Amino acid sequence: MNFIKVKTYEELSKIAADIIGEVIVNKPDCVLGLATGSSPVGTYKKLAEKCAKGELDFSKVRTVNLDEYLGLSPENDQSYRYFMNDNLFDHVNIDKANTHVPGGTGDPDEECKKYDAIIESMGGIDLQLLGIGRNGHIGFNEPAETFSEGTHVVELTESTIEANSCFFASKDEVPTKAITMGIGSIMNAKKVLLVANGPYKKDIIEAAVKGEITPMVPASILQKHPDVTVIYSEE
Ligand code: GLP
């Protein structure tokens, strides 16, 4: 595992965008696994800047996002589809038909099957970008008895609902369920890049990177992946 500690969020975002940019340059039709949350926002800004300068071409890039809240339509400004359009897709020359986010409003079981089929039909993920929840969740894979495999529906924990409530008008509006790519699919990605910032992420990052590998800290499984980079800034 390659662990990079930096001082500022700006540095974190620059390094992360450089790593993703290199994947796009080497394979213009690469499959990027993308994440939401506040941590990757700066990375997406840097990627959009590189695209505007003509350093990156997204025209053939394909993407699969990690997760979506159940019950939120793509038009809902709290949905992860809306977030991705707003933070990245609307600012780069990507074909939106090549971008995928799990459906939050269809039949959940059908959506899960459909999503695993999409990932398979793309030939797997070249680079998976991740954030990390305060309880160690990746995607919406919450602490559990076992590591999950494919896309599935999850019940969000109180800690996640609390942490994500800052994006909603009130905590009551945070959906209690979500659909998420499984740990198995994340581990199948050729390369994994995890970004985390803020002092409140320090302990969980330490547990994930150096602690026991346990489904109670879902990100700890990444210790077993052959190509993981973790970038952490205390800012
Ligand atoms: C949500 C997302 C995760 C993300 C996490 C951390 O729960 N489902 O994919 O990693 O938030 O978000 P933040 O970066 O805002 O701390």
Side-chain angles (χ1 to χ4, degrees):
M1 185 180 287
N2 183 16
F3 185 77
I4 306 174
K5 193 171 168 198
V6 292
K7 285 220 165 69
T8 66
Y9 180 62
E10 173 75 15
E11 284 173 88
L12 173 153
S13 304
K14 187 181 175 307
I15 298 170
D18 285 348
I19 293 172
I20 297 169
E22 199 182 315
V23 171
I24 299 173
V25 168
N26 289 335
K27 188 177 175 190
D29 65 344
C30 63
V31 177
L32 298 179
L34 297 178
T36 55
S38 52
S39 311
V41 169
T43 305
Y44 293 150
K45 266 208 183 103
K46 297 272 176 209
L47 286 173
E49 281 167 23
K50 282 175 185 283
C51 187
K53 282 193 223 152
E55 291 170 14
L56 286 180
D57 175 13
F58 281 78
S59 62
K60 296 196 183 78
V61 171
R62 297 166 293 157
T63 71
V64 273
N65 257 79
L66 283 167
D67 45 16
E68 180 60 281
Y69 287 114
L70 269 196
L72 299 194
S73 71
E75 296 75 37
N76 187 307
D77 63 5
Q78 294 304 334
S79 75
Y80 283 168
R81 160 54 78 179
Y82 190 99
F83 173 100
M84 287 312 300
N85 289 347
D86 198 32
N87 283 283
L88 182 67
F89 301 151
D90 286 342
H91 310 286
V92 294
N93 65 329
I94 201 162
D95 178 354
K96 284 218 184 110
N98 289 336
T99 68
H100 304 276
V101 179
T105 50
D107 173 71
D109 290 339
E110 281 307 311
E111 289 298 334
C112 292
K113 280 190 210 141
K114 219 164 76 185
Y115 211 63
D116 284 339
I118 289 172
I119 299 169
E120 212 189 308
S121 74
M122 289 174 145
I125 299 167
D126 291 296
L127 177 143
Q128 177 63 59
L129 177 64
L130 297 174
I132 185 169
R134 292 179 199 191
N135 58 7
H137 75 234
I138 47 178
F140 263 137
N141 290 284
E142 298 279 36
E145 294 294 311
T146 54
F147 289 111
S148 63
E149 279 301 323
T151 306
H152 59 288
V153 170
V154 281
E155 198 84 47
L156 299 178
T157 61
E158 195 51 36
S159 127
T160 298
I161 292 173
E162 180 70 45
N164 291 2
S165 64
C166 60
F167 300 109
F168 291 79
S170 77
K171 195 175 149 191
D172 298 343
E173 285 182 27
V174 186
T176 56
K177 286 184 179 178
I179 182 165
T180 184
M181 202 188 270
I183 297 276
S185 308
I186 294 171
M187 288 297 281
N188 279 338
K190 293 191 187 100
K191 213 177 176 52
V192 175
L193 172 61
L194 188 150
V195 290
N197 64 292
Y200 59 91
K201 291 275 173 80
K202 192 168 182 262
D203 291 349
I204 195 65
I205 278 289
E206 248 174 52
V209 170
K210 296 193 227 149
E212 184 200 349
I213 300 174
T214 162
M216 292 312 287
V217 181
S220 64
I221 191 80
L222 298 175
Q223 293 177 40
K224 288 194 169 178
H225 192 285
D227 186 355
V228 181
T229 300
V230 174
I231 315 177
Y232 173 66
S233 96
E234 272 188 30
E235 188 180 64

